Amino acid sequence: MSPELYLSYPSAFLIGLLGSTHCLGMCGGISASLSMALPVGKGFRLRQSLLLLAFNSGRIASYALIATLVALLSTSAANQWAELGVVLRSIAGLLLIFMGLSMGQWWQGIRYVERIGAPLWKRLSPITRKLLPVNNAGQALALGALWGWLPCGLVYSTLGWAALQPTVGSAALTMMFFGLGTLPSMLATGYAASWISGLKSNQMFRKFTGALLILFGLWTLPIMALVVH
């Protein structure tokens, strides 16, 4: 069994956790704004928590759905062309390396990859604006489900990895665990915004997490599979 398969779920969770600073830049603002429309008073924290959980549940569900769609295509194609597995591994590894370089602020080439989803997001973003301000959990869930389609290099990097999984279900679970890894930082935006902002700008933390993502990418490349075996 190749290394990325038996490490899939915990590693996907760790990638989400390591990519927290990128998540804050992409989704942190909208997550923090969810509680702005809520009246401060009795039950504020409970209502705030419900909105944050609903938003992030929708977001993670979208990641799993995207992985399902990609896996349906990739597993079908891989059954016809055995060489495609090597191509998918190479793409997944390179995307993780690009994301690590971006996280460490060494090179921002991942932004070119993020443009792939721009046309779809251009159609979805007007719908997200209609859901603001968010007043209830249903709106937050719908907003999160749409926000999950926001062009994001970290999502695409992990999605390429999820496409390597042997079944559609395992691909969806890989992205679900990735989403769960991003959850702590996203929930924290509502409770410790200043601390999270400081973490986002901490150069040492960014370089450390960037280096780890690069190692994940190198581990995923086909050449590593040959070395391991």
Side-chain angles (χ1 to χ4, degrees), residues 102-222:
S102 176
M103 286 284 296
Q105 297 183 322
W106 295 300
W107 183 61
Q108 299 300 325
I110 195 69
R111 292 177 181 173
Y112 295 103
V113 178
E114 291 178 341
R115 292 178 184 176
I116 295 172
L120 177 61
W121 183 245
K122 188 176 180 180
R123 293 178 177 274
L124 294 177
S125 58
I127 305 174
T128 65
R129 289 194 288 271
K130 293 179 181 179
L131 293 169
L132 297 171
V134 173
N135 298 309
N136 56 65
Q139 278 181 282
L141 182 66
L143 182 63
L146 290 169
W147 211 263
W149 295 84
L150 177 74
C152 173
L154 187 64
V155 172
Y156 294 164
S157 300
T158 317
L159 192 62
W161 205 36
L164 296 172
Q165 304 312 308
T167 66
V168 173
S170 59
L173 280 173
T174 297
M175 287 305 290
M176 187 190 77
F177 274 89
F178 159 76
L180 291 174
T182 68
L183 195 56
S185 64
M186 293 299 294
L187 291 178
T189 57
Y191 303 111
S194 59
W195 181 83
I196 288 294
S197 178
L199 185 65
K200 181 182 173 182
S201 59
N202 187 298
Q203 295 299 311
M204 185 171 291
F205 179 79
R206 291 186 67 95
K207 291 184 185 303
F208 174 72
T209 54
L212 287 179
L213 285 174
I214 290 171
L215 287 175
F216 267 112
L218 291 172
W219 182 254
T220 305
L221 290 174

